[in-house]
Amino acid sequence: MKNKEPLILVVVVAFTLLTYWLVEPYAHSQMHKHVESENFAYADLPALSKSGDVANGKDLVTGAGGCTGCHSIEKEGLPAAMDALTAAQSYGVNPPDLGEAGVVYNEKFLADLIKNPAHALKVEHKFDASKGQMHPMVPFYGAGGDIDQEVADMVAYLKSIAVSQDELTPKMAYDNACGRCHAMRYENWTQLGNKPEFKFEKESLAYDIQVLEYQEALTKYMGKLPPDLSMYFRSRSEHFLSTFIENPQAHLKGTAMPRVGVTEEAAHKVLEHLADSADTKRHERESVGANVMIYIVIFAIFALLWKKQVWKDLH
């Protein structure tokens, strides 16, 4: 055979595809168990059996339910009882603002979280009430009426004050579901929020000290400091991240990370925020990708024609 280049190309491509489609997936399957998504259905949690009353839910959340003793609802004019650092030092982590809880979190998860936090979060291995290991969030035992109705009312109220799913931005979803434990340094995000611009260095250092103190409290609560998520979208697959958010115990049994309980839509927005953080030029790159591929194809055609013209007398 005079021209062996096509044969060599075929062999190289064949071995590359063999490695990519067979060897690498097999190795990955042996090292990392595949976890199927449950589509954020939370089948282990009971569905709400009652229709909620928003007005009564508001009275419970802001009154007898005791929610605003720890949680803020800024959009309703209800600030947090203590600052984020003091809250973390008291509870282990700063309780989230409840303004968007009704759109970020699944309603079944919210209902179970109100009644049995450790069960909803899947951290009963860490907080075993029978051994006196109580979760920092106090369960709601009812306000004198039908507890299922009262919980449904509270969930209805939280859903009524939240923005719509279309109005929920990726950053809002991340901040609410993940941002109180995970920093994102490439987004200038700390567990206390976005780091402000300070005029004086001593003010910046004072803020950094507060972050370190928050992280110290968080580490004591979780067992280790939750990782910075700036580059996680590039180091983990989207499927892994999605199923890990859905049920951390399925990937890492015994982990201290709680189940987040977000809706499927909110999870997609969290992943979108992670993707944007890990690759700030992603949208720009994707927009020019098609033009680059067209250029490569045209260039390859001309290169092939030129090669045939130059080499035609040498074979």
Side-chain angles (χ1 to χ4, degrees):
M1 182 183 296
K2 292 184 178 181
N3 189 357
K4 296 183 179 180
E5 291 176 355
L7 178 60
I8 295 172
L9 177 62
V10 169
V11 172
V12 171
V13 170
F15 273 100
T16 301
L17 294 178
L18 180 67
T19 302
Y20 184 77
W21 279 328
L22 295 179
V23 178
E24 193 278 336
Y26 175 75
H28 188 275
S29 69
Q30 298 303 304
M31 296 175 65
H32 302 283
K33 180 181 68 173
H34 179 73
V35 175
E36 287 292 342
S37 173
E38 298 175 358
N39 299 316
F40 295 86
Y42 304 110
D44 62 309
L45 301 179
L48 273 69
S49 58
K50 310 279 186 177
S51 296
D53 178 83
V54 172
N56 189 51
K58 180 177 181 179
D59 292 339
L60 288 167
V61 169
T62 60
C67 303
T68 51
C70 299
H71 298 271
S72 61
I73 312 179
E74 294 287 353
K75 68 194 313 179
E76 294 285 281
L78 298 170
M82 58 186 78
D83 63 81
L85 175 57
T86 304
Q89 291 171 334
S90 301
Y91 309 124
V93 65
N94 182 33
D97 182 273
L98 298 181
E100 313 307 340
V103 68
V104 173
Y105 302 104
N106 177 279
E107 65 173 22
K108 293 197 299 182
F109 173 81
L110 282 174
D112 199 56
L113 182 68
I114 291 169
K115 292 192 291 185
N116 190 348
H119 179 264
L121 297 167
K122 283 201 167 189
V123 289
E124 290 175 303
H125 59 284
K126 182 178 179 182
F127 299 102
D128 187 344
S130 65
K131 298 179 181 178
Q133 300 166 335
M134 301 300 295
H135 191 276
M137 179 177 171
V138 179
F140 175 65
Y141 295 107
D146 181 343
I147 187 171
D148 290 332
Q149 182 63 63
E150 290 172 343
V151 169
D153 294 345
M154 296 166 79
V155 172
Y157 168 66
L158 293 176
K159 292 175 72 173
S160 73
I161 63 173
V163 298
S164 68
Q165 192 63 244
D166 291 338
E167 294 173 310
L168 182 69
T169 66
K171 188 177 187 306
M172 288 167 63
Y174 175 85
D175 293 355
N176 202 296
C178 312
R180 292 165 295 110
C181 293
H182 296 277
M184 295 184 79
R185 64 181 181 275
Y186 294 154
E187 291 290 309
N188 199 35
W189 177 265
T190 73
Q191 288 87 351
L192 295 178
N194 284 108
K195 183 175 180 178
E197 292 288 338
F198 293 104
K199 184 176 181 180
F200 300 106
E201 184 178 0
K202 66 178 182 179
E203 295 175 341
S204 178
L205 291 174
Y207 181 88
D208 291 341
I209 290 173
Q210 283 193 316
V211 172
L212 290 173
E213 290 176 341
Y214 185 104
Q215 291 177 346
E216 183 180 4
L218 182 60
T219 301
K220 183 178 179 181
Y221 173 65
M222 297 292 291
K224 64 181 297 186
L225 182 66
D228 185 294
L229 297 183
S230 296
M231 300 300 291
Y232 252 54
F233 197 85
R234 302 185 73 171
S235 62
R236 307 290 192 278
S237 70
E238 183 173 351
H239 177 81
F240 174 89
L241 290 173
S242 178
T243 51
F244 196 87
I245 291 171
E246 184 178 23
N247 184 8
Q249 298 297 329
H251 281 281
L252 193 60
K253 189 172 180 60
T255 181
M257 177 176 166
R259 172 166 59 181
V260 185
V262 294
T263 65
E264 186 171 12
E265 295 81 4
H268 289 321
K269 292 187 177 182
V270 169
L271 292 173
E272 184 178 346
H273 185 66
L274 292 177
D276 289 340
S277 172
D279 187 355
T280 56
K281 298 292 185 179
R282 179 169 66 99
H283 297 294
E284 180 182 343
R285 186 184 66 254
E286 290 174 352
S287 67
V288 301
N291 292 332
V292 171
M293 292 304 297
I294 292 172
Y295 168 80
I296 291 174
V297 170
I298 294 174
F299 180 83
I301 292 173
F302 279 106
L304 180 61
L305 294 174
W306 176 79
K307 183 258 185 186
K308 288 185 175 181
Q309 178 66 28
V310 172
W311 287 65
K312 66 180 180 179
D313 297 327
L314 301 178
H315 290 283

